[in-house]
Amino acid sequence: MGDLLPTAGHLPLPFVMGYDTRPLLTLPEKEKFLNAAADHNYYLFLEHDAHNQIITVKHTEKGVRLNEVFTFDQLFN
C-alpha cells in the first residue's frame, strides 16, 4: 500500500505518486481499495506519512476522505 497511498494527502483519487509509470492502471485499483477500506472501516498504516501513522477513511460527496487519525501507541498500548 505504500506506493498506492503513501500519505493522507494522497487520498483524493487522482493524487498518485509522481513516479508512477502506469497511473491509468493505478486509478481503478486505488478506487477499489479506498472504497473497500471505507466500507469495512480498515485501519490503514501510512508508512511514508510523517504526521499520520494510522488512519481510517469514509465516503463523502467528494469521494473517499480522511475519517480518523491514530498513533501506534493509541491502538497498541
Side-chain angles (χ1 to χ4, degrees):
M1 186 186 84
D3 286 343
L4 187 63
L5 186 65
T7 71
H10 289 87
L11 273 170
L13 193 58
F15 292 22
V16 296
M17 297 298 290
Y19 56 79
D20 190 337
T21 60
R22 302 180 112 187
L24 296 179
L25 294 176
T26 300
L27 289 174
E29 292 172 0
K30 183 177 177 182
E31 182 176 28
K32 185 177 178 180
F33 174 78
L34 288 176
N35 283 321
D39 290 344
H40 302 290
N41 201 34
Y42 293 164
Y43 288 93
L44 306 177
F45 293 80
L46 301 179
E47 302 168 24
H48 301 294
D49 195 320
H51 304 287
N52 305 293
Q53 293 178 342
I54 303 167
I55 64 170
T56 59
V57 294
K58 64 182 177 182
H59 293 286
T60 72
E61 65 281 349
K62 293 184 178 184
V64 175
R65 294 293 188 266
L66 183 65
N67 185 28
E68 295 181 281
V69 177
F70 304 95
T71 65
F72 288 105
D73 289 340
Q74 287 175 304
L75 295 179
F76 297 110
N77 281 331

